[in-house]
Amino acid sequence: MRIPGLVGALFIGLLIVATTAHAQTPPPRDITGYWKFRDTGEWREFYACGALRCARLAALAPGERQTKDSQNPVVALRARPLCNLTGIEGLRASPPSKWTHGSAYSPEDGNVYDVRVDVVAESVANLRATLRGMPLLGTTYKLDKVATPTQCR
């Protein structure tokens, strides 16, 4: 008769431990806000799009000449302005500090890349853009969190 009581106590103990462990999973570091690419100088605003994160071009790089989406493979879209263009979509939280499974449209070449963001500190992140389905072929960009940029022109 003691065995059922012991089994019941063990079950309740495991349930408490499992509930406590689940409750302690921290939320991912959020990427919402303005981020500046160190190498290009352009600014992106990351924002919530449902449970995911997206990003739009918030400010062009200093001296940037391309202001229209002239490399878009869809001819009808080539006259649209780059300012406020949503170029990153679908980033999913992967606690504690990653946002994965996103896609990034590049107005420089008109291609779409796989993208993920690793938030390495409160105001520093690494964005990895890779060829679709080829995670070893890509580029990593350093981003710094910044205040609101000047108006995109």
Side-chain angles (χ1 to χ4, degrees):
M1 290 226 297
R2 287 187 169 171
I3 293 176
L6 180 61
V7 171
L10 285 173
F11 176 75
I12 291 172
L14 287 173
L15 185 62
I16 291 170
V17 169
T19 304
T20 304
H22 178 70
Q24 292 177 351
T25 302
R29 287 185 179 157
D30 200 1
I31 56 172
T32 302
Y34 293 96
W35 294 81
K36 183 178 180 181
F37 283 67
R38 286 184 188 173
D39 62 337
T40 66
E42 73 181 30
W43 299 45
R44 299 274 177 168
E45 179 189 10
F46 285 83
Y47 60 93
C49 45
L52 307 176
R53 295 296 178 270
C54 298
R56 69 179 128 244
L57 185 62
L60 296 170
E64 177 64 55
R65 292 175 168 227
Q66 181 183 355
T67 60
K68 302 285 183 194
D69 194 10
S70 60
Q71 301 301 313
N72 197 304
V74 179
V75 176
L77 298 177
R78 290 183 181 169
R80 71 179 174 175
L82 293 179
C83 287
N84 298 311
L85 178 69
T86 297
I88 298 174
E89 297 178 316
L91 287 167
R92 295 183 184 122
S94 180
S97 62
K98 296 182 189 296
W99 293 84
T100 61
H101 298 90
S103 63
Y105 167 71
S106 171
E108 292 178 7
D109 59 18
N111 290 321
V112 176
Y113 297 89
D114 291 333
V115 68
R116 75 169 192 253
V117 178
D118 299 331
V119 183
V120 296
E122 195 67 31
S123 61
V124 178
N126 295 322
L127 183 144
R128 176 83 175 154
T130 60
L131 293 175
R132 292 245 127 149
M134 304 176 121
L136 298 178
L137 300 175
T139 304
T140 300
Y141 301 93
K142 298 279 187 192
L143 285 71
D144 295 305
K145 194 159 193 175
V146 292
T148 306
T150 58
Q151 184 68 26
C152 190
R153 293 177 244 133

